[in-house]
Amino acid sequence: MNLKGNWNYPTKVRFGAGRIAELADACNELGIKKPMLVTDPGLAKLPMVQDALARNEAAGLASALYSDIKPNPLARNVEEGLKRYRSGNHDGVIAFGGGSALDAGKTIAFMAGQTRPMWDFEDIGDNWKAADDAGIDPIIAVPTTAGTGSEVGRAAVIMNEETHTKKILFHPKMMPSIVIADPELTLGLPPHITAATGMDALAHCLEAYCVSSYHPMADGIAVEGARLIKEWLPVAVRDGKNLSARAHMMVAASMGAAAFQKGLGAIHALSHPVGSLYDTHHGLTNGVVMPYVLAFNRTAIDEKMTRLAAWLSLPDPSFAAVMQWVLALREEIAIPHTLRELGVESDRLDALAQMAAIDPTASGNPVPVGVKELKTLFVASIEGRLD
């Protein structure tokens, strides 16, 4: 199979091995003359980033590098990047890396010409309409993990250090104008990061599919994304140099993000405050809490899970078949079974539950959740109770 293509769904995507060579061409297409490449400190030292900068330089594009990004990006990371962006008179962002770099880069480009504070654009109601559209600079996204799908998303998650909470910022023009999805860039990911980011992609597919609102297009994308993950995530973890596995996982991650335009649910509502208070990896946390949320939602998703099980070719299609598959997958790729294994204890239950209840993703859960229900889910996830 030729795993390469140019897609316009949901934005322009140049997919396939070696496509990073087209970075300068993508800048030219968008009229970017002086890009700032935003990445994380680890990637900034690797040849893939240095090669990208060198290619741009050879094409006459003077590219700056900004890499002061935390794994859970902080507001101050964005603010410092924005300061450098403006002082360097840059005219576009290359967001290069995993979810943290993509989210930070997208936010810097979004805020480039804004005069209002960043938090005025939190994803609440119609806040996004207050933005100056003309002040949003073009974005090229280059994902190097297969998890968040932020490369095809209209939002970014940034930590507010003052409140110790993750905030979702939203605007339609946060969607990158061009994505260069080159699976060769993921070949160096270690198994534990491959596993954690893969569970993030699965969480997106499962939660989008389970949201109650009517959106058959998103549902179709979600279930096929889940099938690709079922087939290829164990292979990618076991054999990180398998380019087919890396390619299928990269597209599955983008599919999960395209699908969750429909919405998310309690997996993310639980995961966001844990990441805020304990600085855990987002995808890993999603993978840990996943089965507890599925069990809680069973009455609302039983029929959907039966259909999904059939699509995944699981024996005796049913909710139980999907649950058994999720548990077996987690064990196979070494995802912890409880939040306690991530350092989460019951001493902060009240704070966690209150933060989860106001997270924007909570409202999409197929079974309504408030502080009481989310606290119960945290206890189950800490203690490992699926009954």
Side-chain angles (χ1 to χ4, degrees), residues 24-289:
D25 178 67
C27 288
N28 290 329
E29 181 178 332
L30 297 177
I32 300 173
K33 303 298 184 184
K34 198 175 182 183
M36 185 165 82
L37 190 151
V38 178
T39 191
D40 63 64
L43 279 178
K45 302 172 185 176
L46 297 182
M48 68 173 76
V49 169
Q50 299 305 317
D51 289 347
L53 292 170
R55 286 195 192 98
N56 277 3
E57 194 72 31
L61 300 173
S63 306
L65 175 67
Y66 176 66
S67 62
D68 188 11
I69 307 292
K70 297 290 185 183
N72 287 303
L74 306 174
R76 70 171 180 266
N77 300 150
V78 173
E79 289 161 358
E80 177 59 27
L82 184 59
K83 180 180 177 181
R84 296 191 194 183
Y85 184 88
R86 289 170 171 167
S87 65
N89 294 314
H90 296 289
D91 58 357
V93 166
I94 300 167
F96 195 117
S100 58
L102 296 182
D103 282 3
K106 287 162 57 178
T107 307
I108 290 168
F110 169 72
M111 290 296 298
Q114 306 304 320
T115 57
R116 301 174 68 114
M118 179 166 54
W119 304 129
D120 281 6
F121 307 108
E122 185 179 357
D123 188 15
I124 298 174
D126 290 337
N127 280 356
W128 64 273
K129 292 183 178 179
D132 176 5
D133 287 12
I136 304 171
D137 281 352
I139 305 162
I140 296 170
V142 183
T144 62
T145 65
T148 70
S150 183
E151 66 274 7
V152 295
R154 303 171 297 169
V157 180
I158 306 295
M159 177 83 77
N160 184 331
E161 302 104 305
E162 293 182 5
T163 61
H164 301 287
T165 55
K166 288 187 174 184
K167 299 293 186 181
I168 300 175
L169 308 175
F170 169 83
H171 192 280
K173 290 187 72 173
M174 268 188 157
M175 174 88 73
S177 298
I178 296 177
V179 178
I180 296 179
D182 185 341
E184 287 186 345
L185 301 181
T186 68
L187 292 177
L189 281 178
H192 71 283
I193 298 296
T194 301
T197 53
M199 291 304 289
D200 195 20
L202 179 58
H204 295 158
C205 291
L206 286 180
E207 286 214 290
Y209 179 60
C210 290
V211 170
S212 300
S213 58
Y214 181 71
H215 199 327
M217 291 182 286
D219 288 348
I221 295 167
V223 297
E224 175 61 5
R227 189 193 68 79
L228 289 173
I229 293 165
K230 174 180 178 287
E231 297 297 324
W232 294 104
L233 178 55
V235 180
V237 172
R238 193 166 56 243
D239 177 11
K241 294 183 179 180
N242 187 311
L243 191 57
S244 291
R246 293 298 194 182
H248 287 301
M249 282 304 303
M250 179 166 272
V251 74
S254 293
M255 291 170 75
F260 77 59
Q261 292 188 31
K262 180 186 175 189
L264 292 168
I267 292 175
H268 279 73
L270 295 177
S271 185
H272 284 153
V274 171
S276 296
L277 297 182
Y278 294 89
D279 200 26
T280 57
H281 186 282
H282 175 65
L284 180 64
T285 312
N286 280 345
V288 172
V289 303

